[in-house]
Amino acid sequence: MTVDLSLYLVTDSTPAILGNGDLCKVVEESLKGGVTVVQYRDKTSDTGVLVETAKKLHAITQRYNVPLLINDRVDVALASGAEGVHLGQDDMDIGTAKKLLKEDAIIGISASSIEEAVTAVENGADYLGIGTTFATPTKTNTKSIIGTAGVKKILDALSHLDRSVGTVAIGGINTRNVQRVIYQSAAPTKHLDGVAIVSAIMAAEDPESAAKELKGLITTRPTFAVDVLAPRKNEEELLLARIPEVVQRVASTHPLVHNMINFVVVNFVANMALAAGISPIMSPYGDEAKDLAVHNGALLINMGTLTSTSIPEYLKALTAYNTNGNPVVLDPVGVGATNIRRNAVTTLLAGGYFTLIKGNEREIKEVFQRSGGESQRGVDSGPTTMDDHAKATLVRDLARRERNIVLLTGAVDYLSDGNRVIAVENGHEILGRATGTGCAIGTISGAYLVAYPEDKLLAVLAGLVMYEIAAENAVASKDRVRGSGSFVPTFLDEIDIIRGKAEKGDHSWFEKRA
Ligand code: 3NM
Ligand code: MG
């Protein structure tokens, strides 16, 4: 039997979630809002109450032509006439359940690993509940938190089986992250059929509008989606040819960038932004993001001077920009240095979508491990410096997994959208001796992503090439630059000069160099 799994409600009758609401009323409201399948989940009530409640719920779900499934209890499903059951790994085995239930009964299975998922499909499961996606107070005795990367691995494994099976992700899913969960967990040939939700509907003040909002988000393409463009013949040349036009667009539209940036570089980055034609706001205050995110701007989160209070502020801002569909850049400064920073990146990756992740080799390696749980490629055990091929592979794999853009900076920069990989050799080693020159790339990238959303890889590339050509120009003016001290103001001048030319449509700054 096929079920529309798109918005799967799992009930919870505990006071922490249902409060003093009425279960039947909440379920009916959620059905009005567009819930497509209901699972009655009650871990504590006596059998008599379970059967009675299941019958009441079934009378309601039937009116909406939506299947009712019972958690754990095959007997309650039989007694109430429900359409099927949902079984955890420790519940009745699927073979026995199949024997007891009617032939067309729906049987769903919880799976948290590839092995569990594959076994359930082999045993004839109709759909899988995959999780726990994110840590959730609703169920604290979960086996493992697998994140979108874990869901994606399972979907990928399922895509190689002969029999196809329905899938929903479960655990900590709500209006703020639902689009990202569906988007980022998609494997090349298999994506989620829906999401299973408890608290975001059951505990909502207005379950009907919560369901309606979720349904809307599930059925629309997220605004942050990156179009993965197939590489064309002469891809690099085609991209290079468009750089001046992208730089011109930034110079003439002055995109806003909200910088949550470390205090070491804040002044330099603000000056750099102005020189490049960007309107910077430097604010570590997460609540301000609500007002700022309504403008067509970008957010930069740079963890360089992380403090005990930073993370909730980052998350508030991340949510606000994600909600508005605006680009967000993560600069995970020094993520490998401490456990606090490692955990911060894990929290941030679980908390929202980053359009661009930018860092040096060590940082990107570390993020790769954070984003995939345990590393299967042993990026930590390899040589301390990666060769060109390894770097190109790393940025491509991380971009593919996160479905975003990844930039690894160094003597040669590597940039990927998960499909195309571009190496940029411009720049100068002196950049490594002036604080903030790396951080400013985050701000510049954010502005370029705002100005040129049609090809996000090209947007970041254009900002980077402009920046590095300016650095080269500065170094070339030997009369003005004697070392890293005099380099900084000269570099700002050169950025300013390019911006001035680009704004007037004068592309000579690029043609000389490219
Ligand atoms: N099962 P919420 S997580 C019922 O991982 C349940 O199998 C899970 O609740 C699993 O939507 C979970 O409120 C609770 O986070 C999900
Ligand atoms: Mg169970």
Side-chain angles (χ1 to χ4, degrees):
M1 181 164 173
T2 52
V3 197
D4 176 357
L5 293 165
S6 54
L7 183 55
Y8 183 135
L9 173 70
V10 182
T11 71
D12 191 312
S13 311
T14 58
I17 303 250
L18 189 60
N20 31 17
D22 175 72
L23 180 67
C24 289
K25 210 170 138 225
V26 172
V27 169
E28 173 140 22
E29 282 171 17
S30 75
L31 287 163
K32 280 188 200 148
V35 159
T36 59
V37 46
V38 177
Q39 178 193 136
Y40 173 39
R41 181 173 181 269
D42 181 339
K43 297 291 196 190
T44 51
S45 295
D46 291 328
T47 305
V49 175
L50 290 178
V51 173
E52 189 193 338
T53 310
K55 281 182 178 167
K56 280 192 207 155
L57 288 175
H58 195 224
I60 298 167
T61 55
Q62 279 183 308
R63 275 195 274 117
Y64 290 83
N65 211 7
V66 159
L68 176 70
L69 310 177
I70 310 294
N71 183 278
D72 288 8
R73 297 287 297 267
V74 174
D75 56 340
V76 176
L78 286 166
S80 63
E83 280 70 29
V85 291
H86 183 89
L87 304 172
Q89 290 290 324
D90 303 321
D91 298 331
M92 183 187 289
D93 70 277
I94 186 167
T96 310
K98 269 186 188 291
K99 272 181 215 151
L100 293 169
L101 290 162
K102 277 196 289 189
E103 209 182 326
D104 62 348
I106 300 160
I107 303 183
I109 301 288
S110 299
S112 62
S113 65
I114 291 176
E115 199 187 14
E116 287 176 0
V118 170
T119 306
V121 176
E122 282 166 354
N123 291 337
D126 293 292
Y127 76 87
L128 303 179
I130 302 175
T132 302
T133 310
F134 304 123
T136 170
T138 308
K139 183 175 159 90
T140 46
N141 63 333
T142 54
K143 265 200 236 163
S144 48
I145 310 297
I146 62 174
T148 53
V151 177
K152 187 178 194 145
K153 276 185 202 162
I154 293 174
L155 290 173
D156 195 42
L158 293 174
S159 72
H160 298 112
L161 302 181
D162 292 336
R163 196 165 80 79
S164 100
V165 67
T167 52
V168 290
I170 184 162
I173 299 170
N174 53 48
T175 51
R176 294 182 302 282
N177 61 23
V178 65
Q179 283 195 316
R180 184 173 75 77
V181 167
I182 294 169
Y183 179 72
Q184 287 188 309
S185 65
T189 60
K190 188 163 177 71
H191 56 77
L192 288 169
D193 297 298
V195 290
I197 284 172
V198 184
S199 54
I201 294 175
M202 293 302 297
E205 214 156 282
D206 179 350
E208 178 176 342
S209 50
K212 210 174 257 165
E213 191 182 351
L214 285 159
K215 192 72 178 278
L217 291 165
I218 289 164
T219 50
T220 52
R221 176 177 159 83
T223 47
F224 54 71
V226 174
D227 283 310
V228 173
L229 307 168
R232 300 157 289 188
K233 247 202 295 180
N234 318 327
E235 179 67 35
E236 292 211 14
E237 279 162 51
L238 291 168
L239 288 173
L240 284 175
R242 308 201 61 177
I243 287 176
E245 150 200 348
V246 182
V247 175
Q248 181 179 3
R249 209 189 280 178
V250 171
S252 49
T253 57
H254 308 289
L256 184 84
V257 180
H258 173 178
N259 296 274
M260 299 181 104
I261 197 160
N262 73 74
F263 54 67
V264 180
V265 305
V266 62
N267 178 262
F268 171 77
V269 171
N271 277 327
M272 181 55 78
L274 290 172
I278 299 161
S279 306
I281 291 177
M282 320 312 267
S283 168
Y285 196 172
D287 284 321
E288 280 197 308
K290 259 206 183 110
D291 292 342
L292 295 173
V294 300
H295 305 291
N296 184 22
L299 172 69
L300 166 69
I301 296 179
N302 170 308
M303 304 188 341
T305 46
L306 189 70
T307 72
S308 58
T309 57
S310 307
I311 304 285
E313 302 302 322
Y314 292 161
L315 288 174
K316 278 187 239 171
L318 178 57
T319 299
Y321 279 82
N322 277 178
T323 304
N324 285 276
N326 293 340
V328 185
V329 178
L330 174 64
D331 191 343
V333 181
V335 54
T338 66
N339 258 328
I340 299 238
R341 288 184 192 219
R342 281 188 203 105
N343 293 337
V345 163
T346 306
T347 306
L348 289 173
L349 290 177
Y353 177 77
F354 292 95
T355 321
L356 169 69
I357 300 174
K358 171 227 156 254
N360 61 28
E361 177 185 329
R362 188 159 171 218
E363 290 158 355
I364 296 297
K365 264 196 222 174
E366 191 67 37
V367 171
F368 186 76
Q369 279 164 292
R370 295 290 112 194
S371 111
E374 70 280 81
S375 162
Q376 303 210 318
R377 290 163 179 272
V379 283
D380 51 342
S381 57
T384 45
T385 9
M386 304 168 83
D387 63 21
D388 294 350
H389 179 73
K391 286 185 200 168
T393 308
L394 175 65
V395 294
R396 190 205 56 199
D397 287 355
L398 181 58
R400 203 169 269 180
R401 182 192 285 162
E402 295 293 316
R403 291 191 79 184
N404 67 355
I405 310 288
V406 174
L407 170 61
L408 188 160
T409 55
V412 178
D413 310 301
Y414 292 87
L415 177 65
S416 181
D417 61 359
N419 193 10
R420 299 170 291 174
V421 182
I422 307 289
V424 179
E425 293 185 26
N426 291 83
H428 193 274
E429 52 85 28
I430 200 169
L431 288 164
R433 282 181 281 129
T435 336
T437 54
C439 297
I441 295 173
T443 303
I444 289 180
S445 302
Y448 275 69
L449 284 164
V450 169
Y452 206 84
E454 52 264 57
D455 184 345
K456 294 186 167 88
L457 177 113
L458 171 57
V460 176
L461 177 69
L464 184 68
V465 169
M466 179 284 295
Y467 193 73
E468 298 195 332
I469 287 177
E472 288 168 10
N473 291 348
V475 174
S477 60
K478 290 269 191 303
D479 51 326
R480 285 181 294 154
V481 176
R482 293 158 59 220
S484 56
S486 42
F487 168 72
V488 170
T490 312
F491 184 22
L492 283 167
D493 285 349
E494 292 297 334
I495 295 272
D496 207 9
I497 288 165
I498 292 179
R499 180 202 43 76
K501 287 184 178 168
E503 195 174 0
K504 292 194 223 97
D506 172 357
H507 298 164
S508 59
W509 65 271
F510 181 73
E511 277 138 22
K512 263 192 290 168
R513 285 276 157 193

